[in-house]
Amino acid sequence: MKNHQDTTWIGISDKNNDPEMQEMPQDEFVGLPIAEAMSSEAIVENANANRRDFLKYLGFGLGAATIASCETPVRHAIPYVTKPDAIVPGVASYYASTIVNGGDYCPVLVKTREGRPIKIEGNPMSPITAGGTTARAQASVLSLYDSDRFKSAGTITDGVWTKAEWSEVDKAIGSKLSAGSNIRIVCNTVMSPTTKKAFNDFKATYPNTKVVTYDPISSSAILQANQANFGEAVIPNYHFDKAQVIVSFGADFLGSWISPAEYAHQYAKNRNVSKGSGSKMSRHIQVESGMSMTGSNADNRIMIKPSEQGAAIATLLQNLGGGSSPYKVNDKAGNALKNLANELKANQGKCLVVSSSNNKTEQTYINKINEILGSYGNTLDFGAVSYQRQGIDAEIQGLVKEMASGSVDAVMLWNANPVFDLPNGEAFAAGLAKVGTKVSFALSMDESTALCNFALPTHHNLESWGDVEAKRGHYSLIQPTIFPLFKTRQAEATLLMWAKSPNFDATADQPYYEYLKENWAGMAQTAGFSSGRQFWDEALSNGVFSNNSNGGTTSAGGVSVGSGSITKPSSSEIELAFYETVNMGNGQYANNPWLIEMPDPVMRTVWGNYLSVPINWNGDSGKLEGFRGVGRKVPKGIADKLTVNYNGVEQTYSSVPQFGQMNGTASIGLGFGRSVVGKAGKDVGQNVYPWCSIDAEGNTQYYATGAEVSGIVGEDEEFGCVQYHHTYGVTGQYEGEKVNVDEVDIVPIGDGYQGAIVDRTVVFRDSLSNIDNLLADMKKKKKVAKHLNDATLYPFEEYSENLYSQGHYWGMHIDLNSCTGCSACTVACMAENNVPVVGNREVSRHHEMTWLRIDRYYYGEAENPNVLYQPVMCQHCDNAPCENVCPVNATNHSSEGLNQMAYNRCVGTRYCANNCPYKVRRFNWLDYNSADLFGGNQNNINGEDPAYYTDNIVRMVLNPDVTVRSRGVIEKCSFCTQRLQQGKLTAKAEGRRLRDTDIKTACQTACPTGAITFGDRNDKKGELNSKIKSPLVFRMLDEVNTQSSVFYQARVNNKKLDA
Amino acid sequence: MGHAVVSPIREPLITGNKTYHQITEDLCRPTETAPGLSWIIAFVISLMFMTFGVFCIAWTIWFGIGSWNLNRTIGWGWDITNFVWWIGIGHAGTLISAILLLFRQKWRTGVNRAAEAMTIFAVMCAALFPGIHVGRAWVVFFFFPYPNTRGPLWVNFNSPLLWDLFAISTYFTISLLFWYTGLVPDFATVRDRAKGIRRKIYSFLSFGWTGSAKHWQRWESLSLVLAGIATPLVLSVHTIVSFDFATSVIPGWHTTIFPPYFVAGAIFSGFAMVLTLMLITRKVLHLEDYITIEHIESMNKVILATGSIVGVAYLTELFVAWYSSYTYEQFAFFNRAVGPYYWSYWGMMACNVITPQLFWSRKMRRSIFWTFLLSIVVNIGMWFERFVIIGTTLARDYLPSSWSYYVPTWVEIGIFLGTIGIFFVLYLLFTRVAPVVAIAEIKHILKSGGNQYVGPHATHVLHEPQHGGQVDHSFMRGDHDANLTAAPLVPVVSDPPNFERTRVEVVEKSNDYDNDGNYIGLKNDLTKVEGIGPKVQEHLNNAGIYTWNQLANTEVNKIKNVLEAQGGVYASMVPGTWPEQAKMAHEGRWDELMKWQDELDGGK
């Protein structure tokens, strides 16, 4: 009866094939004591079931079958056979690791649940970032679950990937490489000492190998200048916290330049004005053409055309007494630079001048300026120098020529995409065609990989072992947080295998891990550990370690400016500036929807790169005028399309009128327009790398002169912009009077540029010199609010005392001065709270789901205004307008002061969202998460099918502690209530009272500048209460009597009007 | 009925010299005959709109509210605009039924049935929107407190949306009962005339009405009770709808003026919709004798009054915004007037404040063309008003960062058109199954005393069969024929000889004379004759000339004598053309008269 060929049996008797066991299946109702039970009853004459019993059993059977069939089948749930030690279901484990992508660096703690990394936290032990993160680091976890990644090794023919076994590929490549092969490994900055060792071990076998390093957005000139001046091709160790006057020529050091999390952290330290009157803060002057994120934080901006940058640097140097400038800048900038020179001189030794210029001579000028100002040794040094940019552009250009000559046998693309991100990507592609063996280690298909023969996908960062030396003597380790999802192999291991390196044991269980460990074996002694094991365990657990013993120093003095030429200002009508955006980087993040949908901090646009064009206040007509009439329809959600024509290439862009954009210039973000990319990133924006140029020294120049920009050629009806309104009290001269531009600019009815704006109690801001007036104004407004709020039948104080005197009373403090607008918090919130990505069309209809948004306002003079950023999430009002209008009590108040949402109870009237003065409530307009009853309404994003979040791989990123919301319900910030619960449980398990700092919200931990503080308002000695006490603290819309729990600290800049 | 029903100085509410039987005939006929082509065309068009609307609703539920263009800032748009608009339209019916009943406005009987029906259909259309605009329409039962196993899970009694639910459902229930109660005797009338299956259906619908005194007594009592309940509802429903906005914190919504202003606006739009419908119904179903110019004028007066209240409310809002010196409030109104939705604000102002003021002119009030036009303008204006309050206000509130703009999708527009379709489908069906004018009630106000049987002007005329629309005037010619201003417009189906009916349907000729034999009956508007002003008319009346016919038959010299007797300016008047003009007026040759009057100079 039973076939025992299979290995399944029920018990010993089954296995032994006992006769008893064989009989059992014959008896259908074996084990059911029905017959016995019934026969024991006197009333039953025989053991047979009678009619009534039959009906009973029938009924029971039917019921049982029905109940059994009602059970939802559980898919993909595979229990552990043996539970791993580190995994407790429902409890998160954190692993220290590092997020690295080219020169991007962020030491992190990776939160894993049931073996899945789901969230990135900053590593507070890092001396570099001190726990801060960037949006890119936050989003990297999503790239892990990118379903467009290569699933295995493969061969590529005509851009089409075909699956291949690793062994076959190894064999195929092995047969093509010989000891004499001219091999070129093309990579972006590599900060890993062990990777570099692997390169060297590879070179030992293949001596004609050369590693060609370049950076798509290059700092080549800085390296060259430092090489020339100080003998070291490195990025100096900047100390933005030690500088009283910071001058940046185009360097977006808070957003994207070299090490933004580190610099932002330093920068914010010196700009804290929480004590109010008498506070001191640094000065920051940005010299640039478009409004960068850093420029938007600057106290003063000096506007120049991109081609004037060299002249501006030279002019400053001249004003400081360091030679004469061959060129002049525009008069306004010239005057400003004169004043700037004086200010810098007055702050000798406390200045820092940086520049993103990629002209070697200009960078030597910068070095000279810093030398004159006595910055070396004070605000920048060559101790812990940065290794975050190592690429020399000339090298890759050399390779292009080399390939063209046909002398290269093999090219290995080490996560680099030169075909896309070089100005002469086409030349690179043409050269590549002449190379015999082309290997790409990229994780997914890109423009360059498509031209290779072999795709040998490496692990994702979160699946890899590795190490990083981002700054000299400061190391961090990378450890895998998940078993590789696909059949990938770490690229270093691949190289070492091919090289048959004696240092590498390919048969080991985790060969590259052993190799890595071996490399650090010597470190234990140096770092003062008793054993290698102890060192390794601690280093791995901490994720970071430092060893300052090998810090080199470079003597200051004797900087000689280069003999090369600086850029000559162009006289062309329109110049284009190309810049690295905060979210898209150099294009490596093009398939990451969290970053694509993260609004550009300044323009507030998503899903693409937009042409930012100047906007002017025309004091004669009383109107704000966009470049060539652009932007009149922006308040109605329509962007004007303009055509940009450069070098015979024509591209059409949606335009954004941008305050602070120099007249005669326009800016476009780099890194967009990837053509060979995964589903999400396809055709998002347009590629402007080909418009960059290469100067005489081979360095890439990120601007173009002589471009033609047309007038309005069309309208973008799907303008993905989350914030139309620009200004918050921007002033200008009109008919001899200083006016609020918005209030005047309403003349054409219905066509008011941005409508009118009045003196709202949304934010408070002023300059440091005016801080006493600001405080007086705030006091007055608070008094008015108190007067209004006291006129109530329900005195709030009594109520809150009764309600919150026990237990916790959560609140948040946000320092607008520390907030740089970098949006790490926005992405962190999306990751933590399963906030869906909705796509460009939905954002253009204002269906974005972000729980935490950053509002950006311009203020000050219309010509060149200042900017402030205000992160806005649910304010958790104690007198919440949303709560009393919900007909079904779906949103209500907790005894700890939280405004809670019961998604299950929500009917979706949207009244709460209407009645929210802060507009933080988000409605699930469509089924963004495929969490819905209906199958037919899944929303398709960027042409994807199925929609993004329906992909089972992508869904692995979802936080299991947070409900995935279905269509038709309202959602909003919960103050990370799951973290509150976790914190409380931990405290309870540890048998102690919850401390103020036990719980940190996702936005708080993500913030590189510590602008966000969460805590318990009942903890009188806690950090939150100490911060709330600042006289600069206010509550948004205080007079509406919402009694919100989020406290903002006013924005204070250090603007000098004559500067 | 007593002769005191109609004020002697007022014109009768039913013209055409109707008999009780004629009323029954006129009003029951639409339920008994096959619909005409115009009805069929209207019905098919309405049905098409309705079908499209139902499709759009299904689309919305299937794909989600994301198939609309509402957004994070503007959470309510066309949906709630249409909801409030329909609710407003649904106000006239109950007002006419209940409040005007309590105020003893007898003219209401001509229009109350149709207005009540309209109310019910409008409330049905309105109630649709809250049902489908929610994100999860399948859990709207959460709105009701219901027993459940999850413990005490109550609704939020603080929420105005919940009050709304109760207010509207109560209003709908009472209105429906009121309407149906009124229909019972009329259904019985239809039943008595019907045969076969129709008789069975109407028999069921009329609840076994026999017309006994007890039935009438109970019927009257119930009507009174329902009127008593309905009266406060008229005020409460829109008050509570206004709470949806007034209890919020959004500038532009958060105002105490909303309840009275909403109620006035609702009555305003309700009457406008009643007029729109009644003017068409009146024409199509030939009910000119029941819904007279007097009715139209009365309703226009209500429109004028409520329109002015609404206008004052708009201005008060502006004043308060300025006076409060609250920046957000000020901005809200500023934004309404000059923001991106300025057109809806100015559309509202033009349609609701300015155009109703035309009704200060009596000519306008009594002009069918202008009334119809303005009733539509008012309905458009009131839609704008709701859009201004909802869409425009939400688009730009406290935080400039979140300001947005919104244009509806085809789905939203489709649903609105769909509700119009539903409304007209129901209304058109109603005109075919129920008498559109309350037969039982209108007979109350038919002016008929016993005068026709006594006194010098007694007319004992049996109702003779009439044929093919031809009326034999000869048999009606008594001592005067003042009432016969025009031939009856409707063809009358000949009655079978029926003793009982014939006995009842003795033509009550006229009670135009009081007991002393003095004429107090119908007066024509003699001022229609060019040259005659109100004063002259008074003098002519004093001289015994009340109607155009009388004037037409008066010799010029005699008129001159009357005028000269007054002396002064009157003595020099030249009444040469007056009889001829009056004749034209009497014979209804208005076009000709107008043309002639254009040529005349001061009646000379």
Side-chain angles (χ1 to χ4, degrees), chain B residues 434-453:
Chain B
V436 288
V437 174
I439 303 173
E441 292 187 60
I442 200 130
K443 282 178 179 171
H444 287 222
I445 59 162
L446 185 67
K447 194 168 59 173
S448 60
N451 321 41
Q452 67 267 43
Y453 305 113

PDB file of all heavy atoms in Angstrom, chain B residues 434-453:
ATOM      1  N   ALA B 434     -47.587  59.934 -10.712  1.00  0.00           N
ATOM      2  CA  ALA B 434     -48.344  60.624  -9.668  1.00  0.00           C
ATOM      3  C   ALA B 434     -48.785  61.975 -10.201  1.00  0.00           C
ATOM      4  O   ALA B 434     -48.098  62.564 -11.031  1.00  0.00           O
ATOM      5  CB  ALA B 434     -47.470  60.791  -8.429  1.00  0.00           C
ATOM      6  N   PRO B 435     -49.914  62.459  -9.731  1.00  0.00           N
ATOM      7  CA  PRO B 435     -50.335  63.786 -10.151  1.00  0.00           C
ATOM      8  C   PRO B 435     -49.322  64.820  -9.665  1.00  0.00           C
ATOM      9  O   PRO B 435     -48.980  64.829  -8.484  1.00  0.00           O
ATOM     10  CB  PRO B 435     -51.680  63.969  -9.448  1.00  0.00           C
ATOM     11  CG  PRO B 435     -52.128  62.586  -9.122  1.00  0.00           C
ATOM     12  CD  PRO B 435     -50.884  61.801  -8.878  1.00  0.00           C
ATOM     13  N   VAL B 436     -48.830  65.615 -10.585  1.00  0.00           N
ATOM     14  CA  VAL B 436     -47.763  66.538 -10.212  1.00  0.00           C
ATOM     15  C   VAL B 436     -48.277  67.719  -9.410  1.00  0.00           C
ATOM     16  O   VAL B 436     -47.501  68.460  -8.827  1.00  0.00           O
ATOM     17  CB  VAL B 436     -46.992  67.071 -11.437  1.00  0.00           C
ATOM     18  CG1 VAL B 436     -46.140  65.974 -12.018  1.00  0.00           C
ATOM     19  CG2 VAL B 436     -47.912  67.647 -12.453  1.00  0.00           C
ATOM     20  N   VAL B 437     -49.581  67.922  -9.440  1.00  0.00           N
ATOM     21  CA  VAL B 437     -50.152  68.939  -8.556  1.00  0.00           C
ATOM     22  C   VAL B 437     -51.082  68.190  -7.615  1.00  0.00           C
ATOM     23  O   VAL B 437     -51.791  67.277  -8.033  1.00  0.00           O
ATOM     24  CB  VAL B 437     -50.917  70.003  -9.351  1.00  0.00           C
ATOM     25  CG1 VAL B 437     -51.625  70.978  -8.420  1.00  0.00           C
ATOM     26  CG2 VAL B 437     -49.976  70.742 -10.275  1.00  0.00           C
ATOM     27  N   ALA B 438     -51.053  68.549  -6.353  1.00  0.00           N
ATOM     28  CA  ALA B 438     -51.845  67.816  -5.370  1.00  0.00           C
ATOM     29  C   ALA B 438     -53.323  68.065  -5.620  1.00  0.00           C
ATOM     30  O   ALA B 438     -53.839  69.161  -5.357  1.00  0.00           O
ATOM     31  CB  ALA B 438     -51.442  68.252  -3.969  1.00  0.00           C
ATOM     32  N   ILE B 439     -54.000  67.063  -6.152  1.00  0.00           N
ATOM     33  CA  ILE B 439     -55.412  67.232  -6.546  1.00  0.00           C
ATOM     34  C   ILE B 439     -56.252  67.588  -5.325  1.00  0.00           C
ATOM     35  O   ILE B 439     -57.015  68.556  -5.318  1.00  0.00           O
ATOM     36  CB  ILE B 439     -55.941  65.939  -7.194  1.00  0.00           C
ATOM     37  CG1 ILE B 439     -55.080  65.560  -8.396  1.00  0.00           C
ATOM     38  CG2 ILE B 439     -57.399  66.101  -7.582  1.00  0.00           C
ATOM     39  CD1 ILE B 439     -55.430  64.214  -8.998  1.00  0.00           C
ATOM     40  N   ALA B 440     -56.063  66.793  -4.289  1.00  0.00           N
ATOM     41  CA  ALA B 440     -56.904  66.992  -3.114  1.00  0.00           C
ATOM     42  C   ALA B 440     -56.711  68.377  -2.536  1.00  0.00           C
ATOM     43  O   ALA B 440     -57.662  69.026  -2.091  1.00  0.00           O
ATOM     44  CB  ALA B 440     -56.573  65.922  -2.077  1.00  0.00           C
ATOM     45  N   GLU B 441     -55.473  68.824  -2.562  1.00  0.00           N
ATOM     46  CA  GLU B 441     -55.209  70.105  -1.919  1.00  0.00           C
ATOM     47  C   GLU B 441     -55.618  71.275  -2.799  1.00  0.00           C
ATOM     48  O   GLU B 441     -56.097  72.292  -2.309  1.00  0.00           O
ATOM     49  CB  GLU B 441     -53.731  70.206  -1.556  1.00  0.00           C
ATOM     50  CG  GLU B 441     -53.350  69.234  -0.465  1.00  0.00           C
ATOM     51  CD  GLU B 441     -51.933  69.428   0.020  1.00  0.00           C
ATOM     52  OE1 GLU B 441     -51.630  70.519   0.496  1.00  0.00           O
ATOM     53  OE2 GLU B 441     -51.136  68.478  -0.120  1.00  0.00           O
ATOM     54  N   ILE B 442     -55.432  71.099  -4.093  1.00  0.00           N
ATOM     55  CA  ILE B 442     -55.723  72.241  -4.952  1.00  0.00           C
ATOM     56  C   ILE B 442     -57.216  72.494  -5.025  1.00  0.00           C
ATOM     57  O   ILE B 442     -57.665  73.612  -5.223  1.00  0.00           O
ATOM     58  CB  ILE B 442     -55.092  72.061  -6.347  1.00  0.00           C
ATOM     59  CG1 ILE B 442     -54.986  73.425  -7.033  1.00  0.00           C
ATOM     60  CG2 ILE B 442     -55.899  71.115  -7.217  1.00  0.00           C
ATOM     61  CD1 ILE B 442     -53.665  73.689  -7.582  1.00  0.00           C
ATOM     62  N   LYS B 443     -57.967  71.427  -4.806  1.00  0.00           N
ATOM     63  CA  LYS B 443     -59.422  71.619  -4.837  1.00  0.00           C
ATOM     64  C   LYS B 443     -59.879  72.477  -3.665  1.00  0.00           C
ATOM     65  O   LYS B 443     -60.925  73.100  -3.722  1.00  0.00           O
ATOM     66  CB  LYS B 443     -60.123  70.261  -4.834  1.00  0.00           C
ATOM     67  CG  LYS B 443     -60.105  69.588  -6.203  1.00  0.00           C
ATOM     68  CD  LYS B 443     -60.758  68.241  -6.186  1.00  0.00           C
ATOM     69  CE  LYS B 443     -60.729  67.627  -7.577  1.00  0.00           C
ATOM     70  NZ  LYS B 443     -61.174  66.225  -7.562  1.00  0.00           N
ATOM     71  N   HIS B 444     -59.070  72.491  -2.619  1.00  0.00           N
ATOM     72  CA  HIS B 444     -59.413  73.342  -1.476  1.00  0.00           C
ATOM     73  C   HIS B 444     -59.464  74.800  -1.852  1.00  0.00           C
ATOM     74  O   HIS B 444     -60.228  75.559  -1.288  1.00  0.00           O
ATOM     75  CB  HIS B 444     -58.356  73.196  -0.365  1.00  0.00           C
ATOM     76  CG  HIS B 444     -58.422  71.907   0.363  1.00  0.00           C
ATOM     77  ND1 HIS B 444     -58.281  71.813   1.720  1.00  0.00           N
ATOM     78  CD2 HIS B 444     -58.630  70.649  -0.068  1.00  0.00           C
ATOM     79  CE1 HIS B 444     -58.386  70.550   2.082  1.00  0.00           C
ATOM     80  NE2 HIS B 444     -58.591  69.824   1.005  1.00  0.00           N
ATOM     81  N   ILE B 445     -58.582  75.154  -2.746  1.00  0.00           N
ATOM     82  CA  ILE B 445     -58.474  76.583  -3.008  1.00  0.00           C
ATOM     83  C   ILE B 445     -59.227  76.990  -4.263  1.00  0.00           C
ATOM     84  O   ILE B 445     -59.156  78.146  -4.677  1.00  0.00           O
ATOM     85  CB  ILE B 445     -56.989  77.019  -3.136  1.00  0.00           C
ATOM     86  CG1 ILE B 445     -56.311  76.247  -4.262  1.00  0.00           C
ATOM     87  CG2 ILE B 445     -56.264  76.824  -1.826  1.00  0.00           C
ATOM     88  CD1 ILE B 445     -55.049  76.887  -4.729  1.00  0.00           C
ATOM     89  N   LEU B 446     -59.914  76.033  -4.835  1.00  0.00           N
ATOM     90  CA  LEU B 446     -60.712  76.415  -5.997  1.00  0.00           C
ATOM     91  C   LEU B 446     -61.833  77.298  -5.485  1.00  0.00           C
ATOM     92  O   LEU B 446     -62.586  76.932  -4.585  1.00  0.00           O
ATOM     93  CB  LEU B 446     -61.282  75.174  -6.680  1.00  0.00           C
ATOM     94  CG  LEU B 446     -62.024  75.474  -7.964  1.00  0.00           C
ATOM     95  CD1 LEU B 446     -61.057  75.981  -9.024  1.00  0.00           C
ATOM     96  CD2 LEU B 446     -62.744  74.236  -8.466  1.00  0.00           C
ATOM     97  N   LYS B 447     -61.894  78.462  -6.048  1.00  0.00           N
ATOM     98  CA  LYS B 447     -62.855  79.443  -5.529  1.00  0.00           C
ATOM     99  C   LYS B 447     -64.251  79.040  -5.979  1.00  0.00           C
ATOM    100  O   LYS B 447     -64.606  79.151  -7.137  1.00  0.00           O
ATOM    101  CB  LYS B 447     -62.487  80.820  -6.061  1.00  0.00           C
ATOM    102  CG  LYS B 447     -63.166  81.946  -5.369  1.00  0.00           C
ATOM    103  CD  LYS B 447     -62.519  83.229  -5.765  1.00  0.00           C
ATOM    104  CE  LYS B 447     -62.593  83.429  -7.271  1.00  0.00           C
ATOM    105  NZ  LYS B 447     -62.129  84.735  -7.686  1.00  0.00           N
ATOM    106  N   SER B 448     -65.052  78.525  -5.083  1.00  0.00           N
ATOM    107  CA  SER B 448     -66.403  78.173  -5.482  1.00  0.00           C
ATOM    108  C   SER B 448     -67.335  78.303  -4.287  1.00  0.00           C
ATOM    109  O   SER B 448     -67.175  77.615  -3.290  1.00  0.00           O
ATOM    110  CB  SER B 448     -66.454  76.737  -6.020  1.00  0.00           C
ATOM    111  OG  SER B 448     -66.026  75.854  -5.009  1.00  0.00           O
ATOM    112  N   GLY B 449     -68.187  79.210  -4.411  1.00  0.00           N
ATOM    113  CA  GLY B 449     -69.211  79.352  -3.387  1.00  0.00           C
ATOM    114  C   GLY B 449     -70.521  78.885  -3.989  1.00  0.00           C
ATOM    115  O   GLY B 449     -70.578  78.186  -4.993  1.00  0.00           O
ATOM    116  N   GLY B 450     -71.617  79.299  -3.407  1.00  0.00           N
ATOM    117  CA  GLY B 450     -72.903  78.945  -3.999  1.00  0.00           C
ATOM    118  C   GLY B 450     -73.429  80.053  -4.877  1.00  0.00           C
ATOM    119  O   GLY B 450     -74.539  79.968  -5.419  1.00  0.00           O
ATOM    120  N   ASN B 451     -72.608  81.092  -5.053  1.00  0.00           N
ATOM    121  CA  ASN B 451     -73.093  82.284  -5.741  1.00  0.00           C
ATOM    122  C   ASN B 451     -73.631  82.009  -7.137  1.00  0.00           C
ATOM    123  O   ASN B 451     -74.541  82.666  -7.615  1.00  0.00           O
ATOM    124  CB  ASN B 451     -71.981  83.327  -5.884  1.00  0.00           C
ATOM    125  CG  ASN B 451     -71.130  83.386  -4.650  1.00  0.00           C
ATOM    126  OD1 ASN B 451     -70.817  82.349  -4.080  1.00  0.00           O
ATOM    127  ND2 ASN B 451     -70.786  84.583  -4.234  1.00  0.00           N
ATOM    128  N   GLN B 452     -73.032  81.028  -7.750  1.00  0.00           N
ATOM    129  CA  GLN B 452     -73.431  80.816  -9.133  1.00  0.00           C
ATOM    130  C   GLN B 452     -74.855  80.300  -9.248  1.00  0.00           C
ATOM    131  O   GLN B 452     -75.425  80.296 -10.319  1.00  0.00           O
ATOM    132  CB  GLN B 452     -72.449  79.869  -9.848  1.00  0.00           C
ATOM    133  CG  GLN B 452     -72.455  78.447  -9.354  1.00  0.00           C
ATOM    134  CD  GLN B 452     -71.399  78.236  -8.276  1.00  0.00           C
ATOM    135  OE1 GLN B 452     -71.250  79.093  -7.392  1.00  0.00           O
ATOM    136  NE2 GLN B 452     -70.704  77.132  -8.341  1.00  0.00           N
ATOM    137  N   TYR B 453     -75.308  79.806  -8.110  1.00  0.00           N
ATOM    138  CA  TYR B 453     -76.661  79.265  -8.170  1.00  0.00           C
ATOM    139  C   TYR B 453     -77.717  80.313  -7.823  1.00  0.00           C
ATOM    140  O   TYR B 453     -78.884  80.097  -7.994  1.00  0.00           O
ATOM    141  CB  TYR B 453     -76.824  78.078  -7.205  1.00  0.00           C
ATOM    142  CG  TYR B 453     -75.799  76.999  -7.457  1.00  0.00           C
ATOM    143  CD1 TYR B 453     -74.822  76.715  -6.533  1.00  0.00           C
ATOM    144  CD2 TYR B 453     -75.832  76.288  -8.660  1.00  0.00           C
ATOM    145  CE1 TYR B 453     -73.886  75.750  -6.774  1.00  0.00           C
ATOM    146  CE2 TYR B 453     -74.885  75.317  -8.906  1.00  0.00           C
ATOM    147  CZ  TYR B 453     -73.923  75.046  -7.957  1.00  0.00           C
ATOM    148  OH  TYR B 453     -72.987  74.090  -8.210  1.00  0.00           O
TER     149      TYR B 453
END
